[in-house]
């Protein structure tokens, strides 16, 4: 039975919920009297709220009069009351509204240009590294194999958020479906977890190359490199699934505004209509601890490598130091925002947004720049690739 709207929301009487249950004589009479008084009080409140409203609403109220509440078949021996009978219908959230970075039209134009230029640079720079490493036989070594994998992951991480963010600048209201939001969260943590493991693998590769050079070809052979990359992707998948396993069934009944330009788990669980304390702890234990532990492990590894370089000076020390500087810079750029977003106990919204921009479009662009400008072999290989393309064009 549909009752008139109260403050824009329809009231419902779930008659199917009035299912029989055996109760005895005197107790049933007292129970029925109590329910009648409750309904009468509720009806009086509805009537008073509608007295000042339009005649159309009053007609609707009369059609749903008091005696209509009891248009139910019930015997003196059976009656059951479902407590959800008189509750207000709650709307279920089907999409989230992304607040974005700014409401200023002028600033949005600047941000559109910023994201577009940076994303174009990400696509070009990271694809250039992947193509160069793949086509140049001089770069078929474990370090460059891992570098190509890192560049591909950087491209994927940025592609999860940047294209939609660029498109959203054309819309006044930036929306994303609940399924699309959780898909974005899954992919973001999948590629992010894979990148963490890849960076640890690259540190291990440099440790073996510098600290145990005679055993390098034995330890870092082709099958080991493939296994490391497969492990990185597998850990990224498990990390992402473990994040969403407890969050995907959360109830969302409003509000539905996300104070960011993309979906991420710490922001989404705050909108759930449920107690999410345990889930908050799980996010910190999963993403936060993983980020902090990986970062500490990397810093210790690179510290050992730097000490080894100082103790064993040689002609190749300057080259190794240059490579290490690039690696450490990338580690700091990647793990800094991750630790602050997922492990810092006192988040600051404005800083969170800045770090989210840095993580999604700045770091994936800086990685190829750092590895190409500071790496002589990469620059030489790119010149060979350009010359090969020029020769191919001339011949064709």
């Amino acid at each position: 039975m549909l009752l008139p709207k109260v403050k824009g929301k329809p009231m419902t009487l779930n008659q199917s919920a009035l299912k029989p249950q055996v109760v005895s004589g005197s107790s049933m009479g007292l129970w029925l009297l109590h329910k009648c008084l409750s309904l009468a009080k509720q009806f009086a409140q509805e009537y008073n709220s509608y007295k000042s409203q339009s005649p159309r609403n009053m007609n609707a109220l009369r059609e749903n009069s008091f005696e209509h509440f009891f248009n139910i078949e019930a015997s003196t021996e059976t009656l059951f009351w479902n407590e959800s009978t008189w509750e207000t219908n709650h709307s279920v959230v089907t999409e989230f509204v992304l607040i974005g970075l700014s409401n200023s039209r002028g600033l949005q134009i600047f941000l559109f240009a910023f994201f577009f230029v940076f994303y174009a640079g990400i696509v070009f720079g990271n694809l250039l590294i992947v193509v160069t490493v793949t086509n140049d036989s001089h770069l078929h070594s474990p370090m460059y194999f891992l570098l190509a994998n890192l560049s591909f992951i950087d491209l994927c991480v940025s592609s999860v958020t940047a294209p939609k963010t660029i498109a959203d600048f054309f819309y006044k209201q930036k929306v994303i479906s609940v399924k699309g939001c959780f898909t974005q969260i899954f992919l973001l943590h999948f590629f992010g977890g894979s990148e963490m493991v890849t960076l640890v693998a690259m540190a291990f590769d440099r440790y073996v190359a510098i600290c145990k050079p005679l055993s390098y070809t034995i330890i870092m052979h082709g099958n080991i490199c493939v296994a490391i990359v497969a492990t990185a992707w597998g850990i990224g998948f498990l990390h992402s699934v473990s994040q969403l396993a407890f969050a995907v069934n959360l109830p969302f009944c409003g509000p539905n505004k996300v104070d960011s330009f993309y979906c991420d788990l710490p922001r989404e669980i705050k909108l759930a209509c449920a107690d999410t304390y345990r889930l908050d702890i799980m996010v910190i234990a999963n993403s936060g601890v993983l980020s902090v532990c990986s970062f500490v492990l990397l810093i210790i590894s690179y510290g050992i490598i730097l000490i080894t370089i100082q103790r064993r000076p040689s002609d190749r020390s300057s080259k190794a130091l240059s490579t290490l500087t690039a690696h450490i810079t990338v580690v700091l750029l990647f793990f800094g925002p991750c630790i602050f977003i997922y492990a810092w106990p006192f988040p600051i919204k404005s800083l969170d947004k800045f770090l989210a921009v840095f993580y999604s479009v700045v770091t994936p662009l800086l990685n190829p720049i750092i590895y190409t400008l500071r790496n002589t072999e990469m620059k030489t290989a790119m010149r060979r690739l350009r010359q090969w393309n020029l020769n191919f064009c001339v011949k064709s």
Side-chain angles (χ1 to χ4, degrees):
M1 177 176 65
L2 180 64
L3 297 181
K5 292 185 178 180
V6 179
K7 297 181 181 179
K9 294 185 179 180
M11 302 295 295
T12 60
L13 183 61
N14 187 359
Q15 294 186 15
S16 63
L18 299 173
K19 297 180 181 177
Q21 177 180 338
V22 176
V23 291
S24 61
S26 60
S27 61
M28 187 203 70
L30 292 173
W31 177 85
L32 182 60
L33 177 62
H34 172 71
K35 291 303 177 184
C36 287
L37 291 174
S38 299
L39 284 172
K41 183 180 178 180
Q42 183 74 35
F43 183 81
Q45 291 175 352
E46 295 295 323
Y47 182 84
N48 290 331
S49 67
Y50 271 80
K51 283 178 69 176
S52 60
Q53 297 186 19
S54 64
R56 181 178 179 183
N57 287 337
M58 292 299 297
N59 291 334
L61 187 62
R62 292 190 191 99
E63 291 175 1
N64 295 279
S65 57
F66 182 76
E67 63 264 21
H68 199 81
F69 280 106
F70 296 93
N71 188 19
I72 319 159
E73 291 186 4
S75 68
T76 58
E77 297 181 315
T78 59
L79 193 59
F80 174 79
W81 181 264
N82 188 328
E83 295 196 6
S84 66
T85 300
W86 193 260
E87 67 179 6
T88 303
N89 282 349
H90 292 290
S91 58
V92 178
V93 171
T94 58
E95 63 184 18
F96 292 111
V97 178
L98 302 173
I99 295 178
L101 296 170
S102 174
N103 293 325
S104 170
R105 188 60 184 169
L107 187 56
Q108 285 192 6
I109 294 173
F110 168 77
L111 289 171
F112 167 78
F114 173 82
F115 271 82
F116 182 82
V117 170
F118 269 63
Y119 183 64
I122 289 166
V123 174
F124 175 77
N126 286 289
L127 281 180
L128 180 62
I129 289 178
V130 173
V131 171
T132 302
V133 172
T134 303
N135 291 315
D136 197 310
S137 59
H138 297 85
L139 301 181
H140 290 177
S141 64
M143 184 182 80
Y144 292 106
F145 177 73
L146 294 173
L147 174 60
N149 185 65
L150 178 68
S151 295
F152 180 73
I153 293 174
D154 278 334
L155 176 60
C156 293
V157 168
S158 183
S159 297
V160 172
T161 58
K164 175 166 176 54
T165 302
I166 293 170
D168 281 344
F169 286 118
F170 293 98
Y171 299 97
K172 186 175 182 180
Q173 190 173 34
K174 306 164 179 59
V175 297
I176 184 171
S177 67
V178 174
K179 291 183 179 179
C181 187
F182 278 108
T183 301
Q184 198 173 63
I185 293 171
F186 172 81
L187 292 175
L188 195 64
H189 285 270
F190 174 45
F191 295 124
S194 302
E195 184 161 358
M196 287 184 189
V197 181
T198 301
L199 289 171
V200 173
M202 293 176 72
F204 176 73
D205 171 75
R206 291 300 85 201
Y207 169 78
V208 176
I210 295 171
C211 299
K212 298 183 178 181
L214 299 179
S215 304
Y216 181 74
T217 55
I218 299 174
I219 297 174
M220 297 297 296
H221 59 82
N223 293 335
I224 292 294
C225 292
V226 173
I228 288 173
V229 170
T231 301
W233 288 89
I235 291 176
F237 178 78
L238 292 175
H239 164 69
S240 186
V241 169
S242 65
Q243 291 280 78
L244 289 182
F246 302 101
V248 71
N249 292 322
L250 284 174
F252 295 97
C253 53
N256 66 335
K257 291 186 177 181
V258 181
D259 191 12
S260 184
F261 60 95
Y262 67 89
C263 291
D264 200 4
L265 199 55
R267 301 179 184 92
E268 303 312 308
I269 59 179
K270 292 178 182 178
L271 303 178
C273 302
D275 182 13
T276 59
Y277 175 76
R278 293 182 179 179
L279 190 56
D280 286 328
I281 298 300
M282 188 275 294
V283 170
I284 294 174
N286 194 330
S287 296
V289 173
L290 180 62
S291 300
V292 172
C293 291
S294 299
F295 179 71
V296 171
L297 180 63
L298 286 168
I299 294 300
I300 292 173
S301 300
Y302 284 124
I304 294 172
I305 295 171
L306 290 173
I307 292 172
T308 304
I309 291 175
Q310 290 180 347
R311 289 179 178 177
R312 301 177 186 176
S314 63
D315 296 337
R316 301 182 62 183
S317 295
S318 58
K319 178 182 176 182
L321 188 61
S322 176
T323 303
L324 280 180
T325 304
H327 283 220
I328 293 171
T329 304
V330 169
V331 166
L332 293 174
L333 291 174
F334 178 80
F335 281 95
C338 286
I339 291 172
F340 192 89
I341 291 172
Y342 296 108
W344 189 253
F346 310 107
I348 303 172
K349 288 185 178 181
S350 58
L351 186 57
D352 275 355
K353 285 188 177 183
F354 170 76
L355 291 175
V357 173
F358 199 84
Y359 174 80
S360 59
V361 292
V362 177
T363 302
L365 178 63
L366 291 179
N367 286 355
I369 293 175
I370 291 169
Y371 282 117
T372 53
L373 294 181
R374 299 186 64 88
N375 192 306
T376 305
E377 291 182 357
M378 280 295 301
K379 290 188 286 187
T380 303
M382 287 179 180
R383 283 195 291 268
R384 284 197 295 263
L385 181 63
R386 184 180 61 182
Q387 187 62 41
W388 181 85
N389 285 331
L390 290 174
N391 294 336
F392 179 80
C393 292
V394 170
K395 291 180 180 178
S396 61

